[in-house]
Amino acid sequence: MPRVVPDQRSKFENEEFFRKLSRECEIKYTGFRDRPHDERQARFQNACRDGRSEVAFVATGTNLSLQFFPANYHGDQRQVPTREYVDFERETGKVYLKAPMILNGVCVIWRGWIDLQRLDGMGYLEYDDERAQHEDALAQAAFEEARRRNREFEDRDRSHREEFDDTWNLISAVVRCPESLPGES
């Protein structure tokens, strides 16, 4: 099953959902809302250092669980994200974040920053053309493999049907005319 839709760019550019989220808008950290603010601040920073966090686009209420690693990341879960994905040093009191993902069948990158005191900031989605091309190629390869396997199945099925028809014809001939069996005189 492909992970992406056939025309990702068109969906990203034309769907209202993506159009709204592709404009920079207010975001908030949504983790541990039941905890005191200072504990939430510490948990947010620890989660970022671990390469994950939960944020929401305030205007739309869209909640995302983000992972701050390259799109092809399948390595050790204890790995620390690089500054490209989690940057505490760019501006004092803020963390800049980057999270590639597939959202509603479209390859996107979430980018934003969050104030470390207030736990809010600004963020947006951008279309990830490089990953979209890669995922399209994977989807095309999966489609071609499915087509090949279907052809093989149909060829085997046709062969079995032909064998069955030949056997059935022989049995029918024997039943209609038993005295003409091969080897009997």
Side-chain angles (χ1 to χ4, degrees):
M1 173 78 127
R3 301 181 329 161
V4 295
V5 297
D7 191 356
Q8 296 180 62
R9 182 178 292 283
S10 176
K11 183 171 181 173
F12 182 81
E13 291 172 350
N14 296 314
E15 257 190 30
E16 185 66 21
F17 173 76
F18 286 111
R19 283 203 317 256
K20 283 181 181 178
L21 300 183
S22 67
R23 294 186 292 269
E24 190 172 61
C25 51
E26 185 181 358
I27 57 166
K28 289 188 184 245
Y29 169 64
T30 58
F32 301 97
R33 285 183 252 192
D34 60 332
R35 308 305 306 157
H37 191 72
D38 58 335
E39 182 180 336
R40 292 185 72 226
Q41 290 170 324
R43 287 184 181 259
F44 170 68
Q45 289 183 41
N46 289 334
C48 287
R49 287 185 179 93
D50 288 342
R52 59 184 167 68
S53 187
E54 299 80 30
V55 300
F57 287 92
V58 175
T60 62
T62 303
N63 287 276
L64 299 174
S65 182
L66 304 174
Q67 294 189 14
F68 309 120
F69 292 103
N72 60 355
Y73 174 73
H74 298 294
D76 176 20
Q77 295 302 315
R78 308 282 302 154
Q79 183 176 344
V80 175
T82 65
R83 272 186 63 196
E84 177 184 358
Y85 295 92
V86 177
D87 188 352
F88 283 98
E89 298 173 19
R90 185 187 301 181
E91 190 175 340
T92 304
K94 293 181 180 179
V95 61
Y96 283 80
L97 303 167
K98 173 183 172 182
M101 70 182 95
I102 298 174
L103 182 62
N104 293 356
V106 178
C107 294
V108 296
I109 298 173
W110 181 91
R111 292 183 190 270
W113 59 266
I114 294 181
D115 183 284
L116 298 174
Q117 293 300 313
R118 295 188 324 262
L119 299 180
D120 62 7
M122 301 295 279
Y124 63 96
L125 293 178
E126 67 182 37
Y127 182 68
D128 187 348
D129 191 49
E130 184 178 327
R131 183 164 182 211
Q133 290 176 18
H134 175 73
E135 289 291 336
D136 284 343
L138 291 175
Q140 185 63 34
F143 177 74
E144 292 300 327
E145 175 64 14
R147 180 185 283 165
R148 182 192 63 76
R149 290 175 48 204
N150 190 46
R151 245 189 331 269
E152 287 177 359
F153 172 79
E154 288 172 349
D155 290 346
R156 279 194 313 272
D157 186 50
R158 186 173 20 268
S159 174
H160 290 305
R161 250 195 324 258
E162 289 169 358
E163 287 176 23
F164 176 79
D165 289 347
D166 291 346
T167 304
W168 181 255
N169 289 337
L170 181 61
I171 291 171
S172 295
V174 169
V175 170
R176 277 193 307 269
C177 199
E179 64 276 350
S180 63
L181 286 174
E184 291 188 14
S185 302

